[in-house]
Amino acid sequence: MNRWVDITFDCYPLRSISRLDAPIDASPEFGQLCQRVSNAVTKHGRHNTYYLCNARCDFHLTNDEQVGTVAFRFEGTVLTDPDDMRTVGADLQVELDGETCDWLTQGIVDWFAETVSRAVQVEFDRYIAVGDLTKTIERLDRFKAEHEAQGGYVGFGL
């Protein structure tokens, strides 16, 4: 342990998901995930939105791994600015997953649950920074060029 906050997640850019319905032979868990992703697309759209799942946020309150950890599971959507360079918001469902704090109260749990969203936004900015920003910039430049070439109309090919 060398960080106060450990955050892990799987990330799916919503623009890359071509099919929102679950395959007919999908497990119930996968079908539910497909429904949650579909709901995220309906609520936030596909552009500059990322779905985070299999996600966890652990806060370490002491320098002992056995004492003072508050752990949460979370899932939901992270939104970025139009250039995909900075996180501008998060719509997450957060749930306490475990703790090693005998002094924990419900008010503190609620506060940390709200803090998960802020911590995830900071971490997602770090995730963007270590990604291949050149490819993101090239993709945005291609999109802008196509948009301008078609007189501002992009059509259904998004």
Side-chain angles (χ1 to χ4, degrees):
M1 178 181 85
N2 59 4
R3 296 187 335 181
W4 297 312
V5 182
D6 290 321
I7 299 174
T8 59
F9 53 81
D10 292 338
C11 176
Y12 298 101
L14 291 180
R15 69 177 157 263
S16 70
I17 298 174
S18 60
R19 181 177 174 174
L20 294 175
D21 61 319
I24 202 160
D25 60 345
S27 69
E29 294 83 15
F30 186 71
Q32 292 167 356
L33 174 62
C34 290
Q35 185 59 54
R36 292 190 304 272
V37 169
S38 178
N39 293 344
V41 168
T42 299
K43 185 173 183 179
H44 298 290
R46 291 181 184 266
H47 293 287
N48 306 99
T49 52
Y50 300 83
Y51 198 79
L52 307 183
C53 60
N54 300 321
R56 179 173 185 88
C57 179
D58 297 343
F59 295 98
H60 303 286
L61 308 178
T62 70
N63 291 328
D64 183 341
E65 289 188 42
Q66 306 303 313
V67 178
T69 298
V70 184
F72 294 88
R73 287 186 309 231
F74 67 91
E75 185 171 312
T77 308
V78 171
L79 306 125
T80 62
D81 67 359
D83 295 325
D84 270 342
M85 303 299 265
R86 179 174 79 68
T87 307
V88 296
D91 181 8
L92 305 175
Q93 292 70 52
V94 180
E95 178 180 318
L96 181 66
D97 191 39
E99 50 84 14
T100 59
C101 297
D102 58 6
W103 64 92
L104 200 60
T105 64
Q106 187 59 47
I108 294 170
V109 170
D110 295 342
W111 183 84
F112 270 108
E114 183 178 323
T115 302
V116 167
S117 179
R118 293 173 188 246
V120 168
Q121 290 179 60
V122 169
E123 190 68 15
F124 204 78
D125 280 343
R126 291 168 36 97
Y127 177 77
I128 291 169
V130 299
D132 191 343
L133 296 179
T134 303
K135 287 184 180 179
T136 300
I137 292 168
E138 289 171 0
R139 179 186 53 77
L140 290 170
D141 288 344
R142 277 193 314 274
F143 177 77
K144 288 176 186 174
E146 289 172 13
H147 186 267
E148 291 171 5
Q150 296 175 5
Y153 178 75
V154 179
F156 295 108
L158 289 177

